[in-house]
Coordinates of all heavy atoms in Angstrom, one line a residue:
G1 N 115.4 101.3 123.8 CA 114.5 101.6 122.7 C 113.5 102.7 123.1 O 113.2 102.8 124.2
E2 N 113.1 103.5 122.1 CA 112.2 104.6 122.3 C 110.9 104.1 122.8 O 110.4 103.0 122.4 CB 112.1 105.4 121.0 CG 111.4 106.8 121.3 CD 111.5 107.7 120.0 OE1 112.6 108.1 119.7 OE2 110.5 107.8 119.3
A3 N 110.2 104.8 123.7 CA 108.9 104.5 124.2 C 107.9 104.4 123.0 O 107.9 105.2 122.1 CB 108.4 105.5 125.2
T4 N 107.1 103.4 123.1 CA 106.1 103.2 122.0 C 104.8 102.6 122.7 O 104.8 102.2 123.8 CB 106.6 102.3 120.9 OG1 105.7 102.2 119.8 CG2 106.8 100.8 121.4
T5 N 103.7 102.5 121.9 CA 102.5 102.0 122.4 C 102.2 100.7 121.6 O 102.1 100.8 120.4 CB 101.4 103.0 122.3 OG1 101.7 104.2 123.0 CG2 100.1 102.4 122.9
K6 N 101.9 99.6 122.3 CA 101.6 98.4 121.6 C 100.2 98.4 121.0 O 99.3 98.8 121.6 CB 101.7 97.2 122.6 CG 101.5 95.8 122.0 CD 101.6 94.7 123.0 CE 101.5 93.4 122.4 NZ 101.6 92.3 123.4
I7 N 100.2 98.0 119.7 CA 98.9 98.0 119.0 C 98.3 96.6 119.3 O 98.8 95.6 119.1 CB 99.2 98.1 117.5 CG1 99.7 99.5 117.2 CG2 97.9 97.9 116.7 CD1 100.0 99.8 115.7
S8 N 97.0 96.7 119.8 CA 96.3 95.5 120.2 C 95.3 95.0 119.2 O 94.9 93.8 119.3 CB 95.6 95.7 121.6 OG 94.7 96.8 121.5
G9 N 94.9 95.9 118.3 CA 93.9 95.4 117.3 C 93.6 96.6 116.4 O 94.3 97.6 116.3
I10 N 92.5 96.4 115.6 CA 92.1 97.5 114.7 C 90.6 97.7 114.8 O 89.8 96.9 115.4 CB 92.4 97.0 113.2 CG1 91.7 95.7 112.9 CG2 93.9 96.9 113.0 CD1 91.8 95.3 111.4
E11 N 90.1 98.9 114.3 CA 88.7 99.2 114.3 C 88.5 100.1 113.1 O 89.4 100.7 112.6 CB 88.3 99.9 115.6 CG 89.0 101.2 115.9 CD 88.6 101.9 117.2 OE1 87.9 101.2 118.0 OE2 89.0 103.0 117.4
P12 N 87.2 100.2 112.7 CA 86.9 101.1 111.5 C 87.3 102.5 111.8 O 87.1 103.1 112.9 CB 85.4 101.0 111.3 CG 85.1 99.6 111.9 CD 86.0 99.5 113.1
N13 N 87.9 103.2 110.8 CA 88.2 104.6 110.9 C 86.9 105.4 111.1 O 86.0 105.3 110.2 CB 89.0 105.1 109.7 CG 89.5 106.5 109.8 OD1 89.0 107.3 110.3 ND2 90.7 106.6 109.2
P14 N 86.7 106.2 112.1 CA 85.4 106.9 112.3 C 85.2 108.0 111.2 O 84.0 108.3 111.0 CB 85.6 107.6 113.7 CG 87.1 107.7 113.9 CD 87.7 106.5 113.2
V15 N 86.2 108.5 110.6 CA 86.0 109.5 109.5 C 85.9 108.8 108.1 O 85.1 109.2 107.3 CB 87.2 110.4 109.5 CG1 87.0 111.5 108.4 CG2 87.4 111.1 110.8
F16 N 86.6 107.7 107.9 CA 86.5 107.0 106.7 C 86.2 105.5 107.0 O 87.2 104.7 107.2 CB 87.9 107.1 105.9 CG 88.3 108.5 105.7 CD1 89.2 109.1 106.5 CD2 87.7 109.2 104.6 CE1 89.6 110.4 106.2 CE2 88.1 110.5 104.3 CZ 89.0 111.1 105.2
P17 N 85.0 105.1 107.1 CA 84.6 103.8 107.6 C 85.1 102.6 106.8 O 85.2 101.5 107.3 CB 83.0 103.8 107.5 CG 82.7 105.3 107.6 CD 83.8 106.0 106.8
D18 N 85.5 102.8 105.6 CA 86.0 101.7 104.8 C 87.5 101.5 105.0 O 88.1 100.6 104.4 CB 85.8 101.9 103.3 CG 86.5 103.2 102.8 OD1 86.6 104.2 103.6 OD2 86.8 103.3 101.6
K19 N 88.1 102.3 105.9 CA 89.5 102.1 106.3 C 89.5 101.7 107.8 O 88.5 101.8 108.5 CB 90.3 103.4 106.1 CG 90.2 104.0 104.7 CD 90.8 103.1 103.7 CE 90.7 103.7 102.3 NZ 91.4 102.9 101.2
Y20 N 90.7 101.4 108.3 CA 90.9 101.0 109.7 C 92.0 101.8 110.3 O 92.9 102.3 109.7 CB 91.3 99.5 109.7 CG 90.2 98.5 109.2 CD1 90.1 98.2 107.9 CD2 89.3 98.0 110.1 CE1 89.1 97.3 107.4 CE2 88.3 97.2 109.7 CZ 88.2 96.8 108.3 OH 87.2 96.0 107.9
I21 N 91.8 101.9 111.7 CA 92.8 102.5 112.5 C 93.2 101.6 113.6 O 92.5 100.6 113.9 CB 92.4 103.9 113.1 CG1 91.1 103.7 114.0 CG2 92.1 104.9 112.0 CD1 90.7 104.9 114.7
A22 N 94.3 101.8 114.3 CA 94.8 100.9 115.4 C 94.0 101.2 116.7 O 93.6 102.3 116.9 CB 96.3 101.1 115.5
T23 N 93.9 100.1 117.4 CA 93.5 100.3 118.9 C 94.8 99.9 119.7 O 95.6 99.1 119.3 CB 92.4 99.3 119.2 OG1 92.7 98.0 119.0 CG2 91.1 99.7 118.4
Y24 N 94.9 100.5 120.9 CA 96.2 100.5 121.6 C 96.0 100.0 123.0 O 94.9 100.1 123.6 CB 96.8 101.9 121.7 CG 97.1 102.5 120.3 CD1 96.3 103.3 119.6 CD2 98.4 102.2 119.7 CE1 96.6 103.9 118.4 CE2 98.7 102.7 118.5 CZ 97.8 103.6 117.8 OH 98.2 104.1 116.6
D25 N 97.1 99.4 123.5 CA 97.2 99.1 125.0 C 97.5 100.4 125.7 O 97.3 101.5 125.2 CB 98.3 98.0 125.2 CG 97.8 96.6 124.7 OD1 96.6 96.4 124.5 OD2 98.7 95.7 124.6
Q26 N 98.1 100.2 126.9 CA 98.5 101.4 127.7 C 99.4 102.3 126.9 O 100.5 101.8 126.4 CB 99.1 101.0 129.0 CG 98.1 100.3 130.0 CD 97.0 101.2 130.4 OE1 97.2 102.4 130.7 NE2 95.8 100.8 130.4
P27 N 99.2 103.6 126.9 CA 100.0 104.5 126.0 C 101.5 104.5 126.5 O 101.7 104.6 127.7 CB 99.4 105.9 126.3 CG 97.9 105.6 126.6 CD 98.0 104.3 127.4
F28 N 102.4 104.4 125.6 CA 103.8 104.5 125.8 C 104.3 103.5 126.9 O 105.2 103.8 127.6 CB 104.2 105.9 126.2 CG 103.7 106.9 125.2 CD1 102.8 107.9 125.5 CD2 104.2 106.9 123.9 CE1 102.3 108.8 124.6 CE2 103.7 107.8 123.0 CZ 102.8 108.8 123.3
N29 N 103.7 102.3 127.0 CA 104.0 101.3 128.0 C 104.8 100.2 127.4 O 105.1 99.3 128.1 CB 102.7 100.8 128.6 CG 102.9 100.2 130.0 OD1 103.8 100.6 130.7 ND2 102.2 99.1 130.2

């Protein structure tokens, strides 16, 4: 399988605070 990064959680989008973006574990691990 292609390398990917595990999503560990979410946090507010710094540009659009009413939206969310992912937080990640070790990149491409």
Side-chain angles (χ1 to χ4, degrees):
E2 196 169 286
T4 187
T5 304
K6 186 177 180 180
I7 295 177
S8 59
I10 58 174
E11 64 182 10
N13 188 323
V15 182
F16 304 99
D18 59 331
K19 307 293 183 181
Y20 293 89
I21 61 174
T23 58
Y24 296 94
D25 284 348
Q26 291 296 317
F28 307 115
N29 201 33

